[in-house]
Amino acid sequence: MGRIGVDLYPLQAGVPLAQVDTFGKFLGGSATNVAVAAARLGRRTAVVTRTGADPFGEYLHQELRGFGVDDRWVTPVAGLPTPVTFCEVFPPDHFPLYFYRQPKAPDLEMYEAELDLEAIRAARVFWVTGTGLCAEPSRSATLAALAARSVGRPVAPRSAPGSAPGSAAHVPEGPDTPRFTVFDLDWRPMFWAAPEEARPHYAQALRHATVAVGNLDEVEIATGERDPHAAADALLGHGLELAVVKQGPKGVVAVHRDGRTAEVPPVPVEVVNGLGAGDAFGGALCHGLLAGWELDRTMRYANAAGAIVASRLACSSAMPYASEVDEALRAARP
């Protein structure tokens, strides 16, 4: 549940936006990219969001269906244009984003009364982003969806041994089937007046989540802590089961409330566009959680998925298949 839009990426690297001649058009939006990433790994996914009632909105539906993502909960908003996002590509680490979401993005016009809470409760993984908290009515709708997930929530058991890497086998459903509510901190400063404005809303969301994911800037917004271990502990203090802190070139730290930890280095790649790496990581994280893999294995798999996308231009269409992640892991072994 969260952001959707059209990404217009320059087909020329190292060129300022004012001088770019040609662009590629792609499905975009963080939550949407995560759904695509998980679908590429064999999972059944859907997105809860809204577009404009315009040709770009039609394009997004077309792309979602093409990627195998259920679009039944993607609805149009009359009078608001589908958002467009431009970026500049300056590898290896400078990719400015320019969001065109005026006068208001349709994905912020989600209303609690229009949510399919039964479907949201039934999902084995429910993923929401911090952007959904930046304005009403999306803020109330996001918190209502999270609250619906946490009613009578059982404590998830420890991870069970998983299947072979890349397997999309589903754990049989039952009363004790683990379910995960993931809060992607997704801090975008242009959507907020100040960091202090976001923190109380993030705290509300964290109370209902079982997993939190964010980079160093995002965990600092949520907790006031920048050290990855201190930030993970602060996130767990909200009642989470798992805190995942992404450190870019330093890899990732994951801490479970039962004391298990994983510190995984990055997979080395030649970076083309780093913007979709976090979403690929998120889709692979969902895949590992659903497979019941051990924490270290899940983090290594998610890191490899993110590295693959960082080595490609686009986001959604760059999401890797399981065979590609497996190959990247084999190639990264010493």
mmCIF file of all heavy atoms in Angstrom, residues 50-68:
data_model
loop_
_atom_site.group_PDB
_atom_site.id
_atom_site.type_symbol
_atom_site.label_atom_id
_atom_site.label_comp_id
_atom_site.label_asym_id
_atom_site.label_seq_id
_atom_site.Cartn_x
_atom_site.Cartn_y
_atom_site.Cartn_z
ATOM 1 N N ARG A 50 -3.823 4.640 -5.725
ATOM 2 C CA ARG A 50 -4.717 5.344 -6.628
ATOM 3 C C ARG A 50 -3.903 6.095 -7.682
ATOM 4 O O ARG A 50 -2.778 6.547 -7.414
ATOM 5 C CB ARG A 50 -5.621 6.325 -5.862
ATOM 6 C CG ARG A 50 -6.390 5.681 -4.721
ATOM 7 C CD ARG A 50 -7.533 6.549 -4.224
ATOM 8 N NE ARG A 50 -8.657 6.511 -5.169
ATOM 9 C CZ ARG A 50 -9.785 7.204 -5.002
ATOM 10 N NH1 ARG A 50 -9.929 8.003 -3.962
ATOM 11 N NH2 ARG A 50 -10.765 7.100 -5.894
ATOM 12 N N THR A 51 -4.485 6.220 -8.859
ATOM 13 C CA THR A 51 -3.864 6.955 -9.960
ATOM 14 C C THR A 51 -4.795 8.076 -10.400
ATOM 15 O O THR A 51 -5.928 8.190 -9.914
ATOM 16 C CB THR A 51 -3.634 6.036 -11.169
ATOM 17 O OG1 THR A 51 -4.908 5.709 -11.752
ATOM 18 C CG2 THR A 51 -2.918 4.760 -10.782
ATOM 19 N N GLY A 52 -4.339 8.884 -11.341
ATOM 20 C CA GLY A 52 -5.237 9.807 -11.995
ATOM 21 C C GLY A 52 -6.126 9.060 -12.983
ATOM 22 O O GLY A 52 -5.818 7.950 -13.408
ATOM 23 N N ALA A 53 -7.246 9.684 -13.347
ATOM 24 C CA ALA A 53 -8.136 9.120 -14.373
ATOM 25 C C ALA A 53 -7.679 9.643 -15.730
ATOM 26 O O ALA A 53 -8.353 10.461 -16.373
ATOM 27 C CB ALA A 53 -9.583 9.510 -14.078
ATOM 28 N N ASP A 54 -6.514 9.190 -16.157
ATOM 29 C CA ASP A 54 -5.883 9.746 -17.352
ATOM 30 C C ASP A 54 -5.072 8.664 -18.057
ATOM 31 O O ASP A 54 -4.966 7.530 -17.563
ATOM 32 C CB ASP A 54 -4.999 10.942 -16.966
ATOM 33 C CG ASP A 54 -3.970 10.619 -15.883
ATOM 34 O OD1 ASP A 54 -3.638 9.434 -15.713
ATOM 35 O OD2 ASP A 54 -3.492 11.555 -15.211
ATOM 36 N N PRO A 55 -4.502 8.959 -19.220
ATOM 37 C CA PRO A 55 -3.747 7.924 -19.946
ATOM 38 C C PRO A 55 -2.566 7.349 -19.161
ATOM 39 O O PRO A 55 -2.252 6.162 -19.307
ATOM 40 C CB PRO A 55 -3.281 8.667 -21.201
ATOM 41 C CG PRO A 55 -4.317 9.713 -21.424
ATOM 42 C CD PRO A 55 -4.697 10.173 -20.049
ATOM 43 N N PHE A 56 -1.892 8.169 -18.350
ATOM 44 C CA PHE A 56 -0.805 7.620 -17.547
ATOM 45 C C PHE A 56 -1.342 6.623 -16.518
ATOM 46 O O PHE A 56 -0.675 5.624 -16.193
ATOM 47 C CB PHE A 56 -0.028 8.739 -16.843
ATOM 48 C CG PHE A 56 1.081 9.327 -17.676
ATOM 49 C CD1 PHE A 56 1.497 10.636 -17.466
ATOM 50 C CD2 PHE A 56 1.724 8.587 -18.654
ATOM 51 C CE1 PHE A 56 2.533 11.191 -18.212
ATOM 52 C CE2 PHE A 56 2.759 9.119 -19.410
ATOM 53 C CZ PHE A 56 3.162 10.425 -19.192
ATOM 54 N N GLY A 57 -2.531 6.879 -15.968
ATOM 55 C CA GLY A 57 -3.151 5.918 -15.071
ATOM 56 C C GLY A 57 -3.436 4.603 -15.781
ATOM 57 O O GLY A 57 -3.206 3.510 -15.239
ATOM 58 N N GLU A 58 -3.928 4.680 -17.005
ATOM 59 C CA GLU A 58 -4.174 3.483 -17.808
ATOM 60 C C GLU A 58 -2.859 2.732 -18.060
ATOM 61 O O GLU A 58 -2.818 1.491 -18.025
ATOM 62 C CB GLU A 58 -4.821 3.869 -19.134
ATOM 63 C CG GLU A 58 -6.216 4.467 -18.993
ATOM 64 C CD GLU A 58 -6.738 5.007 -20.316
ATOM 65 O OE1 GLU A 58 -6.145 4.692 -21.375
ATOM 66 O OE2 GLU A 58 -7.736 5.751 -20.298
ATOM 67 N N TYR A 59 -1.816 3.484 -18.325
ATOM 68 C CA TYR A 59 -0.505 2.869 -18.542
ATOM 69 C C TYR A 59 -0.060 2.080 -17.305
ATOM 70 O O TYR A 59 0.456 0.953 -17.423
ATOM 71 C CB TYR A 59 0.521 3.954 -18.872
ATOM 72 C CG TYR A 59 1.962 3.515 -18.739
ATOM 73 C CD1 TYR A 59 2.546 2.680 -19.683
ATOM 74 C CD2 TYR A 59 2.736 3.925 -17.647
ATOM 75 C CE1 TYR A 59 3.867 2.272 -19.562
ATOM 76 C CE2 TYR A 59 4.050 3.530 -17.516
ATOM 77 C CZ TYR A 59 4.617 2.698 -18.469
ATOM 78 O OH TYR A 59 5.920 2.283 -18.329
ATOM 79 N N LEU A 60 -0.274 2.639 -16.113
ATOM 80 C CA LEU A 60 0.148 1.962 -14.894
ATOM 81 C C LEU A 60 -0.622 0.664 -14.687
ATOM 82 O O LEU A 60 -0.044 -0.355 -14.279
ATOM 83 C CB LEU A 60 -0.010 2.891 -13.693
ATOM 84 C CG LEU A 60 0.889 4.140 -13.711
ATOM 85 C CD1 LEU A 60 0.602 5.028 -12.515
ATOM 86 C CD2 LEU A 60 2.369 3.747 -13.753
ATOM 87 N N HIS A 61 -1.916 0.668 -14.964
ATOM 88 C CA HIS A 61 -2.686 -0.578 -14.886
ATOM 89 C C HIS A 61 -2.126 -1.619 -15.860
ATOM 90 O O HIS A 61 -1.980 -2.803 -15.514
ATOM 91 C CB HIS A 61 -4.162 -0.313 -15.202
ATOM 92 C CG HIS A 61 -4.947 0.211 -14.030
ATOM 93 N ND1 HIS A 61 -5.473 -0.622 -13.067
ATOM 94 C CD2 HIS A 61 -5.283 1.473 -13.674
ATOM 95 C CE1 HIS A 61 -6.112 0.107 -12.166
ATOM 96 N NE2 HIS A 61 -6.009 1.381 -12.509
ATOM 97 N N GLN A 62 -1.831 -1.183 -17.053
ATOM 98 C CA GLN A 62 -1.275 -2.074 -18.076
ATOM 99 C C GLN A 62 0.037 -2.697 -17.597
ATOM 100 O O GLN A 62 0.262 -3.911 -17.745
ATOM 101 C CB GLN A 62 -1.045 -1.271 -19.345
ATOM 102 C CG GLN A 62 -0.248 -1.960 -20.432
ATOM 103 C CD GLN A 62 0.108 -0.980 -21.547
ATOM 104 O OE1 GLN A 62 -0.751 -0.297 -22.092
ATOM 105 N NE2 GLN A 62 1.394 -0.886 -21.864
ATOM 106 N N GLU A 63 0.898 -1.870 -17.019
ATOM 107 C CA GLU A 63 2.191 -2.365 -16.550
ATOM 108 C C GLU A 63 2.030 -3.307 -15.358
ATOM 109 O O GLU A 63 2.705 -4.335 -15.273
ATOM 110 C CB GLU A 63 3.095 -1.188 -16.177
ATOM 111 C CG GLU A 63 3.579 -0.395 -17.373
ATOM 112 C CD GLU A 63 4.432 -1.223 -18.298
ATOM 113 O OE1 GLU A 63 5.584 -1.529 -17.936
ATOM 114 O OE2 GLU A 63 3.947 -1.604 -19.376
ATOM 115 N N LEU A 64 1.163 -2.963 -14.414
ATOM 116 C CA LEU A 64 0.938 -3.842 -13.264
ATOM 117 C C LEU A 64 0.513 -5.227 -13.717
ATOM 118 O O LEU A 64 1.052 -6.248 -13.258
ATOM 119 C CB LEU A 64 -0.129 -3.243 -12.338
ATOM 120 C CG LEU A 64 0.296 -2.045 -11.497
ATOM 121 C CD1 LEU A 64 -0.912 -1.393 -10.855
ATOM 122 C CD2 LEU A 64 1.303 -2.457 -10.426
ATOM 123 N N ARG A 65 -0.460 -5.268 -14.625
ATOM 124 C CA ARG A 65 -0.923 -6.569 -15.108
ATOM 125 C C ARG A 65 0.187 -7.303 -15.842
ATOM 126 O O ARG A 65 0.328 -8.524 -15.721
ATOM 127 C CB ARG A 65 -2.143 -6.384 -16.000
ATOM 128 C CG ARG A 65 -3.379 -5.916 -15.234
ATOM 129 C CD ARG A 65 -4.618 -5.974 -16.095
ATOM 130 N NE ARG A 65 -4.606 -4.991 -17.179
ATOM 131 C CZ ARG A 65 -5.159 -3.790 -17.112
ATOM 132 N NH1 ARG A 65 -5.770 -3.400 -15.995
ATOM 133 N NH2 ARG A 65 -5.106 -2.967 -18.141
ATOM 134 N N GLY A 66 0.995 -6.571 -16.599
ATOM 135 C CA GLY A 66 2.112 -7.190 -17.308
ATOM 136 C C GLY A 66 3.130 -7.810 -16.369
ATOM 137 O O GLY A 66 3.751 -8.826 -16.697
ATOM 138 N N PHE A 67 3.323 -7.207 -15.198
ATOM 139 C CA PHE A 67 4.263 -7.739 -14.205
ATOM 140 C C PHE A 67 3.624 -8.799 -13.311
ATOM 141 O O PHE A 67 4.288 -9.348 -12.426
ATOM 142 C CB PHE A 67 4.802 -6.605 -13.320
ATOM 143 C CG PHE A 67 5.809 -5.721 -14.005
ATOM 144 C CD1 PHE A 67 5.581 -4.356 -14.119
ATOM 145 C CD2 PHE A 67 6.983 -6.241 -14.521
ATOM 146 C CE1 PHE A 67 6.510 -3.527 -14.736
ATOM 147 C CE2 PHE A 67 7.919 -5.420 -15.137
ATOM 148 C CZ PHE A 67 7.678 -4.064 -15.251
ATOM 149 N N GLY A 68 2.340 -9.071 -13.508
ATOM 150 C CA GLY A 68 1.670 -10.074 -12.690
ATOM 151 C C GLY A 68 1.243 -9.569 -11.328
ATOM 152 O O GLY A 68 1.060 -10.357 -10.395
#
